[in-house]
Amino acid sequence: MDIKEINSKKLFKEFEIQIPYKDIDDSINDKIKDLIPTVSLPGFRKGKAPLNIVRKKYENNVLSEVIEKIVDQNTKKLLEEKKLKPFRQPKVELKKYEKNQPIEISIKIDLEPSIEISSLEEIELVNRTIDIDKKRVDENYNQFINSQKHYHKVKDSRPAKMSDKIIANITTNDESVPEFLKNQNNMPIITDSDYQILPNIGSILVNKKAKVGEKINLTFDLKEALKQKEKKEVEFVIEIISLEYLHEFKITKEFLEKNNLKDEKQLKENLKQNLIKQYEDSLKQIQKKELMDILDKKNKFDVPEGILDEEFNSIMLKLDQAKKDNNLDEDDKNLSDEELKKRYKKIALRRVKLAVLMQHIASINKITVTEKELTEGMINYASQYPGQEKQIIDYFKKNPTSIETIRGPIFEQKIVDSIISKVKLKNEKIDIKKFEKLNIEVFQNKETK
């Protein structure tokens, strides 16, 4: 094996190695010899065919397995000779393979950083609970009632009113308009909704006194909808298919029974507990963000350059796509390319640093995700899609790599819980106003998200 080091950084090494073809040739022969006793070829008794004839027939079948084994053996040998301790599985790429020629392999190795974790016991963290006043509970209840909207078809020929639902076909001949806007059939338009598929289309149709059966030509400025800098006026034909009026929702015995509720009081209590749960989940995210900020600040160590480059390149690919789609974040739009690279290099460094630190903490504390936790996680995930639970569970079973989407969050939360169990906690009860202010303060810094 001929070794050539082509890239060397503090926590990253890249090598090119050449392996004599004889090693491959000998390994193929060994593999074929193992096969001969099971092979039946015309003109020969089973297991008695000559090596060269069996090899000619089966060499391609065993080649990839042989190369993989040789590469694995030489990678281990390289790590032992160079006394390298990889942080993750080395990235191995077959650069050249030609018969009777040395094979060439590229091996990229991220090295394990030296980490000394600052004392977790010295970290001070706030454990907040929410104090929800009656006004907010009542608002939440009223929002729920208002969300239970029922519409009934308007039977006479009256024009559209505010709060109506208009069912319309929307078309334009402008080829520059995206497909999702160019042609929409049976599009529901809630006239008083804050969300409109076309700017203020609901109130415009009400002002036009639109009636079922009418076709109305309207021009809209799509500058905001298409996120363009210049004005973009487009003419649409709006065909009114039907009109429905809002029917006031009332809590009935049928509604209560359908939702397994004894009475309206239980409904209100359930909604209140759900509201508290939402705030508590948000407070956990705030606490987690504060913890990550502290860990980032208190712990100094080098990160593997290969992993950092991967994360940075991944971010920049997404950023380039956002530029093409004219979908950059507002605070990114005024930055030069160099300023963007500087910002996202810092973000990438933070992400990798915290990921490496969390992995290290998990390792020294022997934190893992059990099969039971993984199964419960899959069941909880599947339960979010009523009627599709079995298909989702089957998908996870057939695609083991997809299970990482379940394992990852569980693993991360177990590490966070382990850290929090060791820090100094100060209890604090806050109201909604303070929560909203805190939420903005904690998450407003993009570089620490």
Side-chain angles (χ1 to χ4, degrees), residues 46-62:
K46 183 177 181 180
K48 297 300 181 180
L51 174 66
N52 62 327
I53 295 178
V54 178
R55 174 165 175 163
K56 186 176 181 181
K57 182 174 178 63
Y58 290 102
E59 179 175 346
N60 289 336
N61 297 52
V62 303

Side-chain angles (χ1 to χ4, degrees), residues 31 34 56 68 83 89 105 107 115 136 152 169 197 201 207 214 242 261 267 278 342 370 383 387 397 416 418 429 446:
K31 193 71 179 173
D34 291 338
K56 186 176 181 181
E68 185 179 342
K83 296 180 179 178
Q89 188 71 22
I105 298 166
I107 302 178
I115 304 174
R136 182 68 187 94
H152 294 262
N169 292 339
I197 189 168
I201 185 172
N207 291 334
E214 291 183 340
S242 70
L261 297 166
L267 170 63
Q278 290 172 26
K342 185 177 179 181
T370 66
S383 68
K397 289 178 180 178
V416 170
S418 174
K429 182 170 278 193
K446 186 164 191 170

Side-chain angles (χ1 to χ4, degrees), residues 192-236:
D192 59 351
S193 171
D194 291 334
Y195 172 77
Q196 303 285 343
I197 189 168
L198 294 169
N200 301 316
I201 185 172
S203 57
I204 292 172
L205 290 173
V206 170
N207 291 334
K208 290 280 184 181
K209 298 182 178 179
K211 293 183 179 181
V212 173
E214 291 183 340
K215 289 186 178 180
I216 303 172
N217 286 21
L218 295 175
T219 300
F220 297 90
D221 180 6
L222 302 184
K223 174 184 173 182
E224 294 297 327
L226 301 180
K227 298 181 179 177
Q228 295 184 0
K229 293 181 179 179
E230 304 297 328
K231 195 171 185 180
K232 174 69 174 176
E233 289 194 337
V234 178
E235 185 178 55
F236 286 83

